[in-house]
Amino acid sequence: MKIQSKKLEVWYGNKQALHAVDLAMQEHTITALIGPSGCGKSTYLRCLNRMNDTIEGVVVKGGLLLDGYDVYEPGVDVVALRRRVGMVFQKANPFPKSIFDNVAFGLRLGPRIPKTELDGRVEQALTRAALWEEVRDRLTGSALGLSGGQQQRLCIARALAVEPEVLLMDEPTSALDPIATAKIEELLHGLADRYTIVIVTHNMQQAARVSDQTAFFFMGQLIEVAPTDDLFTHPTVKKTEEYITGRFG
Amino acid sequence: MEGASTYVHPVTTRNPLTGGGVRRAREAAIRGAFTLAALVSVGVLVGIFAVLFLQARESFGGNEGIAQSTLTPEQRALFTDVEFAALPAVPPPAPSVGRDFLGGTNWNPTGATAYYGVLPMVVSTLMVTLCALALAAPLGIGAAAWLAYVAPPRAREVIKPIIEVLAAIPSVVLGFVGIVVVGPALAHGFGLQSGLSAANGALLLAVMALPTIVSITEDALTAVPRDYVQASLALGADRWQTLVRVVLPAAQSGVVAALMLGMGRAIGETMTVLMACGNATAMPGSIFDPVRTLTATIAIELGETDVGSRHFHMLFAVGLVLFCMTFAVNLASEIAMRKSGGSRA
């Protein structure tokens, strides 16, 4: 298993946001986390790269293993963890820098990389994010001049450039139009060959289209997890069925 | 077309859509009042500049200004003949203005030959201001970064107002501190005869500029979208890298504005430097020499000159130089802000 959580609990102060979540994800698969707002799916996602650490008063209990090693063990280098577990946010958040500098940002954080290698890795990341052809002639232009969908693919390229093993996506298409959304979904299929992907989505059709495995969260609990086809066709828990048939949410 | 031609305007009945005269009158009045306010502030500014420029222009007008005695016959009658004979028959030729004013290194308006070389004061002003900025900038940006990114929220709520209160310390009080505390400490620490020097003034001005720099920089840093910080951290940047590579560049225009406002405050400051810098008009050789800034020169000498004398006009010329310097600083900051603002868009 690439990622495995065991009785993972998250507390924001006195409020418990996640209750004993057991969830496992295989390497090079796509797992979709679905559920209504406030169900804990984003909280779970943000445990995987410890972005929850940046919120005041967060306490995480239980185990979360990446390749069998505990991510929350004292002494874990969070910076190194985040280089292995990349993240794409709900709202495209490119830096107010050039397209090139955005993609190169993560690469420049470490030891100095020769210019030719840097150029190559930027191109490779943009190619994998299906953006290279659109921006190859304007790499020095501002990233903020791109369309919303392009900006989100730029953020994917930026995350891919540091060669992570896992890619976390927090509702990456919720602010995009259907065409830009389709492009990113198409992209995800190709990326699964190389990366383990965890995607949070509000959109059940999207979960059904892109993921291999779907986990349904409700009120901070993992209600059901199953291969995506099974979960959407034969949910075993009544709550899951109610949610995927649109009876609440 | 037919409908339009057959329509007859009902002139006899009052159109229910008309009216609102009172409201319109009120809006016109408000608009007038705002326009007046804007005109007054611009007018005052133009007026100040006109006075400064016209008075200063007199000093460039050749020798007539002082060749004629400014004394009226009645005033002459107050002097005895002996006293009058002691006055030079012909006033000393004034040094030619131009290079000798801006480039001259001797300021001696009351000597047998008057010299009006303003260069030492320009150098002193720049020396004190730039040294103050060199001290205040890293300290101010550092403090702002601490407040914005490191300090726990409670500490921030307490400490930021305290730093801002520093701005309320009257400059004369800081000057006093310079005379009794900082100056002697400098003299002791560096083995100087007197601590009243450019270094002393620079330290005090740094303290004066600090609240402005900290407060505005902190505002600029906290205004940087959290999205940028999150993205940077998620890419494996540590907090320092995030601050230096993402937050500070994104807040660049605000930081530049903070520094320039701090510097503007330091250039124009008079009382502190007058008290703390030793007021020697000679060209300073080092930061530990006593210096007299442009502002201090005007403040010290204007009260002791005859209105309308060459010396009097020369002090306006000094004011004009000062004005040009502050204008250059403002212009530079404007350009800097526009540049970084442009790369954001």
Side-chain angles (χ1 to χ4, degrees), chain B:
Chain B
M1 286 309 274
E2 254 174 73
S5 60
T6 55
Y7 177 74
V8 178
H9 195 277
V11 271
T12 48
T13 52
R14 187 175 160 276
N15 183 342
L17 296 175
T18 59
V22 173
R23 191 183 58 242
R24 251 175 289 146
R26 199 185 60 191
E27 290 197 350
I30 292 172
R31 199 167 50 218
F34 285 170
T35 311
L36 191 69
L39 287 179
V40 165
S41 32
V42 171
V44 166
L45 213 68
V46 170
I48 290 175
F49 182 73
V51 168
L52 191 63
F53 187 75
L54 290 176
Q55 293 285 357
R57 204 184 58 168
E58 296 278 315
S59 66
F60 297 91
N63 290 345
E64 312 95 89
I66 48 163
Q68 260 74 53
S69 170
T70 54
L71 299 183
T72 62
E74 294 79 44
Q75 286 174 316
R76 275 170 188 264
L78 296 173
F79 293 95
T80 66
D81 282 348
V82 179
E83 282 172 330
F84 224 84
L87 289 171
V90 179
S96 62
V97 186
R99 203 200 150 275
D100 276 346
F101 174 64
L102 285 176
T105 55
N106 185 3
W107 178 269
N108 187 5
T110 54
T113 308
Y115 289 101
Y116 297 101
V118 81
L119 191 61
M121 291 172 236
V122 172
V123 171
S124 302
T125 301
L126 286 176
M127 190 186 242
V128 173
T129 309
L130 292 178
C131 288
L133 197 65
L135 286 170
L139 209 57
I141 293 174
W146 182 82
L147 282 173
Y149 276 92
V150 185
R154 279 196 54 106
R156 186 178 154 209
E157 276 162 34
V158 174
I159 290 168
K160 200 182 174 195
I162 291 177
I163 292 178
E164 280 165 357
V165 162
L166 268 180
I169 299 177
S171 56
V172 68
V173 172
L174 270 181
F176 184 70
V177 170
I179 290 175
V180 302
V181 181
V182 184
L186 277 174
H188 184 76
F190 292 93
L192 312 171
Q193 279 199 321
S194 164
L196 299 184
S197 60
N200 194 14
L203 278 171
L204 297 169
L205 286 191
V207 172
M208 280 193 89
L210 211 50
T212 311
I213 295 178
V214 172
S215 181
I216 296 178
T217 303
E218 203 264 348
D219 288 344
L221 293 181
T222 39
V224 171
R226 256 198 81 70
D227 289 355
Y228 295 164
V229 177
Q230 297 254 316
S232 175
L233 293 176
L235 284 165
D238 55 36
R239 287 162 73 89
W240 168 250
Q241 288 170 324
T242 300
L243 179 69
V244 172
R245 299 187 191 204
V246 177
V247 178
L248 278 178
Q252 188 186 8
S253 61
V255 176
V256 170
L259 294 182
M260 290 301 160
L261 281 174
M263 186 164 172
R265 190 154 188 225
I267 287 188
E269 170 50 34
T270 306
M271 187 46 78
T272 306
V273 288
L274 191 156
M275 292 171 75
C277 290
N279 296 323
T281 54
M283 180 67 91
S286 85
I287 184 80
F288 294 114
D289 283 342
V291 298
R292 196 168 79 180
T293 62
L294 294 164
T295 50
T297 300
I298 297 173
I300 291 170
E301 295 185 4
L302 194 60
E304 296 169 7
T305 60
D306 294 324
V307 174
S309 67
R310 173 137 202 152
H311 186 187
F312 177 84
H313 289 303
M314 271 301 174
L315 291 177
F316 275 92
V318 171
L320 195 62
V321 171
L322 186 63
F323 176 84
C324 291
M325 286 170 68
T326 49
F327 182 74
V329 169
N330 280 340
L331 195 69
S333 62
E334 197 71 27
I335 291 170
M337 274 193 270
R338 215 160 276 188
K339 256 192 181 165
S340 52
S343 71
R344 260 188 193 208

Side-chain angles (χ1 to χ4, degrees), chain A residues 12-26:
Chain A
Y12 295 122
N14 296 327
K15 190 175 163 285
Q16 189 163 9
L18 274 187
H19 299 262
V21 174
D22 287 311
L23 184 56
M25 299 164 213
Q26 269 178 345

